[in-house]
Amino acid sequence: MPADATKPVVILPELWQRSEMLTALRNRNIGQVFQLIRQYAGVSQTRIGTAVNLSQGKISEIMRGTVKVTSFEVFERVADGLDMPDPARLALGLAPRRLPAISPHPQRTPPSDEAVPSPGTGLLTPYLASLTGASSRPVISGLRHVLTGHIQAEAIMGPLLLINAVQDQVPVIGQVCQVTRGADRAEALSFASELLEFCGWLHQDLGDFTRATTWTNKALDYAMELGDQRVISYILMRKSIIATEAGDYGHGLGMANAALANPDALTPRLRAVILRTRATANAYIGEAADSARDSEMALVEATAGMTQSETDRAPYCTPAYIAMETGATRVLLGEATAAIPIFEASRSQWPESSQARDHVLFLTRMATAYAIAGEREQACTVTEDALSRMQALRSSRVAGQLTALRAHLARWSADPYMADLLTRVEILSESFSLPASQPQGDR
């Protein structure tokens, strides 16, 4: 073995940030990743192999493309061996190495009657008591970095592994809001509303609409105190989605209308995401014309939002995202055939890994539309694409769409291939459905 074979592989952060590296990671093209490391870091195949516990011959085959890495275990080994930073791991479809939480009890799940956790005990209690207005700014800054990592990870793997860590940060930010005064208080209130709204989203994606509503209401309290119309409207939009998914369509429509009460105060993306929410509520109550109008307006606003300079809480609201939601509303209205070209037009625009759950949701909705329209081959092709992307993802919303998809594919169940596909869809649907109404603390 060459003398330098055991030297650690040192890769500068800039290499992980290069566009071609990010593309290779998102495509899970490990051969290209190794080639870029060899090209820009000057690392030999032998040293790469030692770092990731693969032979030099295997590294050579991967780099030539004769062997393709598909194993999750190997992806993890490569990421760990190359000391891949968290943004690169996320691009590869892996969870961050560290999901830090301030709580000393990251696995605690509150009982079902504990809607909002009280300040922590043990090591956390003296920490909370020591917080002052002067110390609040670095705490908020630190928690904001943590929340950013949680949001990125949740978009890839769903809420299950994050929900306790996020909830256990609530007592800290609550104490920060109590002791902070002056200009820093606005920042504290803004972050508190964002953190609690994210808690609501996590519960919603687990199918627990009661807790989702509780957390989102708390987020709205902070937003109202903050007095920022954009934040208020965004959280009202979130209340609309929760109500609509819970089956309270009239309330969902009312919340969407309330969110749009001051449209001129909002960014194009915010108007777009609220309009698509209202379009969905209108579709559920059978108002086809109103739903179509809102969807068209949402697409116009989302397109304008691609060049907006102002930040907001809806950076995910792209034209492709609106197209997905528009297609879904068409299916709700019984217009699956009309939904298909809408889905197809936006299919190539989806990012590969940054919004994995939404991408899978998009594909399962698209496959459902094909199945309803009787397009068996297309339905199967898109379903296979969706199944290949699910991996570690867990989401009750995806589970519900998988269940609907299976029901529409069942018309072809006599075919052996379709029978196998239906079985795989059913297994995934059952494993994805993890309602928060029965957490460990309730058993």
Side-chain angles (χ1 to χ4, degrees):
M1 180 180 293
D4 70 340
T6 58
K7 290 182 180 179
V9 175
V10 179
I11 302 172
L12 295 177
E14 291 77 9
L15 178 53
W16 295 116
Q17 298 167 9
R18 294 184 69 93
S19 61
E20 58 264 50
M21 176 63 80
L22 291 173
T23 298
L25 290 168
R26 288 168 183 149
N27 292 334
R28 292 196 153 186
N29 187 341
I30 300 302
Q32 181 67 17
V33 171
F34 289 164
Q35 289 174 11
L36 291 169
I37 290 172
R38 182 164 174 76
Q39 176 182 352
Y40 290 106
V43 181
S44 68
Q45 292 182 0
T46 301
R47 286 179 65 194
I48 293 174
T50 301
V52 303
N53 196 25
L54 293 172
S55 68
Q56 181 272 330
K58 184 64 68 177
I59 297 296
S60 177
E61 290 176 340
I62 293 172
M63 291 177 69
R64 293 199 310 270
T66 56
V67 171
K68 182 176 177 60
V69 176
T70 59
S71 166
F72 185 84
E73 185 273 335
V74 177
F75 288 135
E76 285 280 6
R77 194 192 311 170
V78 169
D80 291 342
L82 298 178
D83 196 24
M84 198 175 287
D86 285 347
R89 291 178 65 94
L90 289 167
L92 186 57
L94 303 177
R97 289 172 297 182
R98 296 171 291 275
L99 295 176
I102 290 178
S103 167
H105 306 295
Q107 298 304 316
R108 181 184 65 83
T109 302
S112 58
D113 58 352
E114 185 184 352
V116 179
S118 57
T121 58
L123 295 176
L124 189 56
T125 300
Y127 178 85
L128 293 176
S130 70
L131 284 175
T132 66
S135 64
S136 64
R137 179 171 285 276
V139 172
I140 296 171
S141 177
L143 286 179
R144 189 172 288 284
H145 283 295
V146 173
L147 180 59
T148 298
H150 283 154
I151 292 172
Q152 292 171 340
E154 192 275 336
I156 294 172
M157 63 185 183
L160 188 66
L161 299 181
L162 302 174
I163 194 165
N164 292 324
V166 174
Q167 278 188 177
D168 281 348
Q169 294 165 21
V170 173
V172 181
I173 196 61
Q175 182 68 9
V176 166
C177 288
Q178 287 187 32
V179 300
T180 304
R181 300 291 181 271
D184 289 343
R185 183 165 178 77
E187 176 65 17
L189 292 171
S190 176
F191 179 74
S193 69
E194 186 175 0
L195 177 66
L196 270 70
E197 181 269 314
F198 185 57
C199 280
W201 161 251
L202 293 174
H203 282 290
Q204 177 189 345
D205 203 34
L206 284 173
D208 188 338
F209 301 122
T210 299
R211 287 187 183 173
T213 300
T214 298
W215 285 108
T216 308
N217 285 341
K218 289 290 183 180
L220 184 59
D221 289 343
Y222 282 117
M224 294 296 289
E225 184 178 352
L226 177 65
D228 187 319
Q229 185 58 54
R230 293 179 181 178
V231 176
I232 292 170
S233 290
Y234 185 80
I235 296 175
L236 287 172
M237 179 274 299
R238 292 284 303 114
K239 285 175 62 66
S240 172
I241 294 176
I242 294 168
T244 299
E245 289 192 5
D248 193 351
Y249 309 134
H251 186 53
L253 181 59
M255 287 293 97
N257 285 330
L260 277 172
N262 296 292
D264 292 341
L266 308 179
T267 63
R269 282 195 305 244
L270 285 175
R271 288 193 292 269
V273 77
I274 298 169
L275 283 164
R276 72 90 184 170
T277 303
R278 193 168 71 178
T280 301
N282 273 319
Y284 270 111
I285 63 177
E287 296 291 347
D290 289 342
S291 180
R293 179 205 62 212
D294 286 340
S295 293
E296 291 173 5
M297 293 171 59
L299 182 58
V300 171
E301 295 287 1
T303 302
M306 296 293 287
T307 58
Q308 73 177 53
S309 58
E310 298 171 285
T311 59
D312 55 35
R313 294 192 181 178
Y316 57 86
C317 190
T318 63
Y321 178 82
I322 294 299
M324 175 184 74
E325 296 295 331
T326 300
T329 59
R330 291 294 182 91
V331 174
L332 287 174
L333 290 165
E335 302 171 2
T337 302
I340 290 172
I342 297 173
F343 284 131
E344 285 289 359
S346 65
R347 189 176 186 181
S348 63
Q349 301 174 29
W350 273 91
E352 287 298 311
S353 62
S354 60
Q355 293 290 331
R357 180 197 40 252
D358 282 348
H359 197 176
V360 168
L361 192 62
F362 166 79
L363 291 171
T364 52
R365 287 173 171 176
M366 183 179 183
T368 301
Y370 272 120
I372 293 173
E375 299 285 346
R376 177 186 181 278
E377 183 176 346
Q378 290 293 339
C380 291
T381 299
V382 179
T383 299
E384 292 283 10
D385 190 7
L387 297 182
S388 70
R389 297 173 184 273
M390 293 183 182
Q391 301 169 16
L393 176 65
R394 291 297 180 269
S395 165
S396 285
R397 297 172 77 235
V398 174
Q401 191 61 51
L402 281 171
T403 300
L405 172 59
R406 187 181 186 281
H408 291 293
L409 291 174
R411 69 170 77 179
W412 299 295
S413 60
D415 178 81
Y417 164 77
M418 184 60 74
D420 174 71
L421 182 61
L422 288 169
T423 298
R424 286 186 284 142
V425 170
E426 182 177 18
I427 291 172
L428 272 173
S429 177
E430 291 176 352
S431 70
F432 273 35
S433 187
L434 298 165
S437 56
Q438 294 182 348
Q440 292 180 353
D442 294 349
R443 292 174 183 168

